[in-house]
Amino acid sequence: MNRRNFIGLIPAVAIAATADAAPKRRTTVSIRDDQFFINGRPTYAGRKYNGVVIEGLLMNSRMVQGIYDDRNAETVARWKYPDTGKWDTERNTREFIAAMPEWRRHGLLAFTINLQGGSPQGYSKDQPWHNSAFEADGSLRADYLSRLERILNRADELGMVAIVGYFYFGQDQRLRDEAAVIRATKEATNWLLAKDYRNVLVEIANECDNRSYDQPLIRADRIHELIKLTKSMTRGGRRLLVSASYNGGSIPKSNLVAEADFLLLHGNGVKDPNRIAEMVAQTRKVEGYQPKPILFNEDDHFDFDQPANNFLKAVGAYASWGYFDPGESNYRDGYQCPPVNWGINTERKQAFFKLLKDITGS
């Protein structure tokens, strides 16, 4: 297969940004056809697992609450730490950063972290809490950026990739209008470029086909507009790699497939592991598809000790896979639900990281 088609290095219109001088970065993610590269080398170089090629994949986990906060005084007490009786956003980020080296030692190369988080209950019908890195007009909040910067800096040091999500359907209503959505997209992209982060992939929206989105510009039929906007922004001739995800079990439409640099799928609700491989095959047949990476970055199915599970089926179809843990009997056991224990502290987490280590040879 021809691996000479590089994505993500095409100059576009330069956008000015104001930021402190960024340190020299250590980690650069790039794409060649359907493979991910880090610092010019394919991920998991030369690795096979039970005869299946792993090289070029990007194993990941949904860790979207690393910069979480709640500005709603009526709900913030829900996230209190049991040992202190109060919520502590700085503690949350600090413990996230402390856990990152252990994830990396087990072969985790990427994680998803969102500017508007995700449901802190795993799944929620109503989401009254207020967790957004954007003000109503789309401007960025300095406190969120401070926490995100520390996480991205540590990822850069560890050779890890961050999938930075901009919008989430439980919080997009915090943005006043379409102009605010556009401003938020520009400011987030500008900030990442100004800080010279090269270890970042952008997920414009989590599950853009979800009917709960209030802002029309973020929905599936127009999501390509925000992808194009983000791709048009450059700094020093460099732009970010961009995509958006769809609901669990759904196949992205051609407007996204043709425009995105990589394709994000979700395995939520997919009970038959064989369906995971089918999703990958169907995505490759969507109009506008050209060889590019396919990556699951949310899947709440496990069975890691079984010979057939969603993780293995994705890898067998040459797609990267991402672990989503909404918790078990106590939902706060999972990585999705604050106050999060970011360690590998439950049987489910341990099973995932064990299989990850076996597959990647870490």
Side-chain angles (χ1 to χ4, degrees), residues 58-62 295-300 320-324 352:
L58 193 68
M59 306 310 180
N60 63 97
S61 181
R62 181 176 171 86
L295 184 154
F296 288 85
N297 73 328
E298 183 175 343
D299 193 336
D300 62 356
S320 307
W321 192 82
Y323 173 66
F324 168 43
F352 162 67

Side-chain angles (χ1 to χ4, degrees), residues 273-295:
N274 291 316
R275 172 60 185 155
I276 294 294
E278 290 176 359
M279 289 175 64
V280 176
Q282 290 174 2
T283 299
R284 291 186 176 125
K285 294 179 180 178
V286 173
E287 181 181 357
Y289 174 81
Q290 297 292 331
K292 60 185 69 178
I294 297 176
L295 184 154

Side-chain angles (χ1 to χ4, degrees), residues 7-28:
I7 302 176
L9 302 176
I10 303 173
V13 179
I15 304 294
T18 301
D20 296 333
K24 185 176 181 180
R25 299 302 180 188
R26 303 180 184 181
T27 304
T28 299

Side-chain angles (χ1 to χ4, degrees), residues 196-217:
D196 200 32
Y197 287 117
R198 299 165 183 263
N199 63 327
V200 166
L201 304 172
V202 172
E203 179 180 9
I204 292 290
N206 174 78
E207 299 182 350
C208 65
D209 60 329
N210 194 295
R211 290 178 292 180
S212 296
Y213 272 109
D214 289 274
Q215 296 293 344
L217 187 55

Side-chain angles (χ1 to χ4, degrees), residues 21-161:
K24 185 176 181 180
R25 299 302 180 188
R26 303 180 184 181
T27 304
T28 299
V29 62
S30 59
I31 291 172
R32 305 182 195 180
D33 289 338
D34 59 354
Q35 290 190 315
F36 286 103
F37 281 60
I38 293 179
N39 294 338
R41 299 187 67 230
T43 58
Y44 311 116
R47 179 66 181 172
K48 292 184 178 180
Y49 177 75
N50 291 341
V52 175
V53 174
I54 307 301
E55 179 179 285
L57 297 182
L58 193 68
M59 306 310 180
N60 63 97
S61 181
R62 181 176 171 86
M63 309 292 203
V64 297
Q65 312 290 29
I67 57 174
Y68 185 82
D69 201 3
D70 186 357
R71 298 166 68 185
N72 184 345
E74 295 182 2
T75 57
V76 67
R78 298 185 187 188
W79 328 120
K80 62 185 179 182
Y81 284 90
D83 58 340
T84 64
K86 63 180 181 179
W87 166 244
D88 186 341
T89 187
E90 287 296 319
R91 173 180 173 177
N92 177 59
T93 297
R94 186 171 61 250
E95 292 181 354
F96 183 106
I97 293 169
M100 291 169 67
E102 189 65 16
W103 305 340
R104 180 63 183 85
R105 279 192 288 271
H106 282 78
L108 194 77
L109 288 184
F111 56 88
T112 299
I113 187 163
N114 289 349
L115 298 181
Q116 293 193 317
S119 169
Q121 294 178 329
Y123 295 99
S124 304
K125 181 179 179 181
D126 299 311
Q127 301 197 40
W129 36 85
H130 187 161
N131 174 39
S132 180
F134 307 111
E135 298 287 9
D137 63 357
S139 59
L140 292 168
R141 289 177 54 85
D143 54 340
Y144 275 79
L145 294 183
S146 174
R147 296 191 295 274
L148 180 62
E149 183 171 12
R150 281 175 273 159
I151 288 173
L152 297 184
N153 286 349
R154 187 61 174 135
D156 180 63
E157 294 169 359
L158 292 170
M160 298 181 75
V161 174

